[in-house]
Structure formats: C-alpha cells, structure tokens
Amino acid sequence: MPLVLNGATSGSTTIQATDAVTQTITLPNNSGTVLTTASTFGGTGPAFSAYPNATLSISTNTSTKILFQTEEFDTNNNFASSTFTPTVAGYYQLSTLVGTTTVITSEAIIWIAKNGSVYKYLADPYASSIAMLGGSCLVYANGTTDYFEVYMTQYSGSTKTISSSNQVVWFQGAMVRSA
Amino acid sequence: MILYEKILSIYPSLTNADFSPFGGTILLQNDSDGRGDYIAKWEHPTLDKPTDEQLGAA
C-alpha cells in the first residue's frame, strides 16, 4: 500500500514500494531536500563537447575567439555559435585545448571568457615552439544570461592557423555541482 | 596587411608589451563572426587611436 502525503494546500506526494521486492531505505541523520532521477545536479546536468569543422586564422597580437562548430554531444542544447550558455544554474568544469598547424615561436595566451570579458587565463607559454595550449577552470553560471567562450592571442609576429583536428582543438564542459 | 601591421606602420614604436593583456594599453580583437580584426581598446597614454582614414591609407 503506497504512502500518500497530502500537500498543505494542494497536491500530494506518493511513495510507492516495488512489489515482490523488500528494500530498506535508511535516512541520514540530517535535514535536506530529497533528490530524484528528475532532479538536476552534478552528474545529471548539462554537458557538451565540441570541435572545429575548419581551420581558423589568428592574427598576431589579436585576441581571437576560437570556433567549435561541430558538437560531439550537447546534452541540454546549451552550446551554440561556439558559446556555452548553460540554462541550469550551477558550477561547471570547463576545459579546452587549442593547437596550431605551425608552431608559435614566441608567446601565446589562452583564456575562458565569461560574458565577453576575460574570466580565467588558462595558459601563457613563452617558448620558441608552441604547438598546443589549453587548460581547465571551474565557473559559476546563473543559468540564464551567463555565457562562456574560448579566446586566444599569439605574439609570433605573423598570422597562424588553428587546426581543425578534433584531437587538438576542442572545448568541453559539464556541471559538477548544482547552484 | 592585417590590422596589427597597419597600426605598426602608423606607430612603429609600439611593441608586444603595448598589446599584452597584462598591462597593455591596446587590445585588438576578432570575435570570429566575419567582421574581422578590430580595436577593442585603445588607452595608450601618448598615441591617439588611429582613425579609419589612417588605417585605410596604411
């Protein structure tokens, strides 16, 4: 026989045990909100992975948005125009890697932009031969207006080409904690 | 000639430090939306932002 809890003013909640199976649920000694399979929390929240469908030119000394036109997955349809705009408020782990077809011979910087401004710098290698750079950071998104993009600058003195390979150029993210 | 090269032809004294996101006074940007490179910030203490005419002539 199910247990029915009636709402204070309307509605009801039904707790239904599975027939022919005896289960034990032990409630912890603390107060909180019960989550269900329909709840959104770390592990069930939005996740995406994307990569380019073409090479991209990046002028020297110019902060350039990196494009990721092809989606490997986008569980909540929150990724479009190379921009991640999660519609569920919470904390997200974002990761990216960007590689060029020819090495950068001085300095390069890559960062996550939030709402059009620098949010977290991920890497700033200064070397004679830079082929790939990337990193990861944790961000908070309000689930409405916050959006995230990847930008990069290189100071080689000439225009470089961002690779189109999905193995060396990608942008990924997943919710790790609800708001 | 890209925007950076045009600016350098107008102001050859500029260095990478002027364009650095860490304390630089000039920010060139390209949002990969088809509109190309543009000057997102020009806060150089002594050099005026190039006009469209100057950039066009460079």
Side-chain angles (χ1 to χ4, degrees), chain A residues 6-175:
Chain A
N6 293 316
T9 57
S10 64
S12 65
T13 298
T14 301
I15 299 176
Q16 174 68 61
T18 304
D19 289 342
V21 176
T22 298
Q23 307 277 18
T24 300
I25 299 175
T26 303
L27 298 179
N29 185 21
N30 56 55
S31 298
T33 301
V34 175
L35 299 176
T36 72
T37 55
S39 302
T40 301
F41 53 93
T44 68
F48 75 94
S49 178
Y51 59 90
N53 66 2
T55 59
L56 177 70
S57 292
I58 175 171
S59 302
T60 188
N61 296 66
T62 304
S63 300
T64 302
K65 176 178 174 177
I66 307 301
L67 298 181
F68 310 92
Q69 302 94 333
T70 303
E71 297 175 359
E72 290 171 309
F73 53 85
D74 181 13
T75 64
N76 206 44
N77 293 317
N78 286 164
F79 191 81
S81 301
S82 303
T83 303
F84 179 50
T85 310
T87 55
V88 179
Y91 300 85
Y92 292 80
Q93 188 75 42
L94 300 180
S95 303
T96 188
L97 182 70
V98 177
T100 52
T101 57
T102 57
V103 297
I104 297 167
T105 55
S106 58
E107 180 183 11
I109 308 173
I110 189 168
W111 65 92
I112 294 291
K114 180 177 181 179
N115 302 335
S117 299
V118 175
Y119 181 67
K120 298 291 182 185
Y121 290 109
L122 304 179
D124 178 20
Y126 200 115
S128 60
S129 181
I130 303 168
M132 291 184 280
L133 65 162
S136 178
C137 68
L138 195 59
V139 304
Y140 173 76
N142 60 15
T144 53
T145 57
D146 287 339
Y147 64 93
F148 304 91
E149 302 161 300
V150 176
Y151 273 79
M152 177 178 156
T153 302
Q154 57 90 10
Y155 299 91
S156 66
S158 62
T159 299
K160 292 295 179 181
T161 302
I162 303 297
S163 171
S164 62
S165 165
N166 63 354
Q167 295 177 324
V168 301
V169 185
W170 46 264
F171 184 25
Q172 299 179 327
M175 172 187 269

